[in-house]
């Protein structure tokens, strides 16, 4: 009965790109339906499918894994690691791991937020940040937070930036 109730609530939703073209619409399966389908697959002896559906019923990292992201195109591969809250990255896709992934290491303006997304651009030659984020101040203040001001004018910060 849970499966039928969840399936009855499904309706077409426009895609992220070209939502005016009905060929781009899709039917979104909510976590409740995915868990019900997982139980159904388990009851029919398909442990692999049940495990996959159960994993998909949780929020996922969804960080693109493609080395080059062409503007206007969707990535072909996604991370898919389960996370606690939708929209958050997994532990491997935070700014602290950006350099290892060949991405810009800019940590973002919201230092208080627990989970920050990494910039998807490649760093500029000879730098660890992309051209867009290279001008943000990198100095760590007394409160252990990065200044992160665009073209910072604090004299001590400028001295520290010149000495790096």
């Amino acid at each position: 009965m849970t499966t039928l109730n969840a399936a009855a609530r499904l309706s077409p939703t426009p895609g992220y790109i070209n939502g005016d073209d009905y060929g781009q619409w899709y039917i979104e399966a909510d976590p409740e339906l995915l868990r019900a389908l997982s139980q159904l697959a388990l009851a029919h002896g398909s442990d692999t499918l049940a495990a996959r559906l159960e994993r998909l019923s949780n929020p996922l990292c969804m960080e693109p894994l493609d080395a080059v992201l062409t503007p206007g195109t969707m990535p072909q591969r996604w991370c898919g690691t389960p996370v606690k809250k939708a929209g958050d990255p997994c532990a491997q896709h935070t700014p602290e791991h950006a350099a290892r992934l060949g991405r810009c290491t800019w940590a973002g303006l919201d230092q208080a937020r627990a989970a920050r997304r990494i910039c998807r651009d490649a760093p500029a030659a000879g730098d660890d940040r992309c051209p867009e984020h290279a001008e943000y101040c990198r100095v760590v203040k007394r409160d252990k937070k990065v200044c992160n001001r665009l073209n910072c004018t604090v004299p001590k910060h400028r001295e520290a930036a010149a000495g790096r």
Side-chain angles (χ1 to χ4, degrees):
M1 195 59 159
T2 305
T3 305
L4 294 176
N5 288 335
R9 289 190 298 273
L10 291 176
S11 62
T13 306
Y16 295 110
I17 299 172
N18 300 328
D20 56 341
D21 177 9
Y22 291 114
Q24 297 292 321
W25 284 47
Y26 64 99
I27 294 180
E28 192 175 71
D30 64 357
E32 185 179 294
L33 177 61
L34 291 170
R35 282 190 286 277
L37 290 172
S38 172
Q39 292 299 315
L40 187 61
L42 198 56
H44 285 283
S46 182
D47 297 346
T48 306
L49 178 58
R52 182 173 182 268
L53 290 167
E54 184 64 35
R55 186 176 62 79
L56 291 174
S57 72
N58 297 306
L60 303 174
C61 173
M62 298 306 289
E63 186 64 36
L65 296 177
D66 295 344
V68 177
L69 296 173
T70 308
T73 63
M74 294 297 285
Q76 298 299 309
R77 298 178 307 128
W78 301 88
C79 175
T81 302
V83 293
K84 291 181 181 180
K85 190 174 118 191
D88 283 351
C90 69
Q92 297 304 310
H93 290 111
T94 57
E96 293 77 24
H97 298 283
R100 182 179 51 80
L101 298 169
R103 300 224 182 128
C104 171
T105 60
W106 182 67
L109 293 173
D110 188 6
Q111 298 290 322
R113 187 165 178 230
R116 296 162 293 153
R117 301 210 67 90
I118 56 177
C119 174
R120 293 180 178 168
D121 294 333
D127 199 352
D128 64 336
R129 292 186 178 178
C130 68
E132 182 182 341
H133 294 125
E135 299 302 319
Y136 285 86
C137 183
R138 303 165 195 236
V139 173
V140 178
K141 302 182 294 185
R142 288 184 194 160
D143 62 1
K144 306 270 192 264
K145 293 183 180 178
V146 177
C147 174
N148 247 341
R149 284 190 211 145
L150 183 61
N151 297 317
C152 182
T153 58
V154 176
K156 287 186 178 182
H157 292 193
R158 291 186 130 194
E159 288 174 21
R164 74 173 159 107

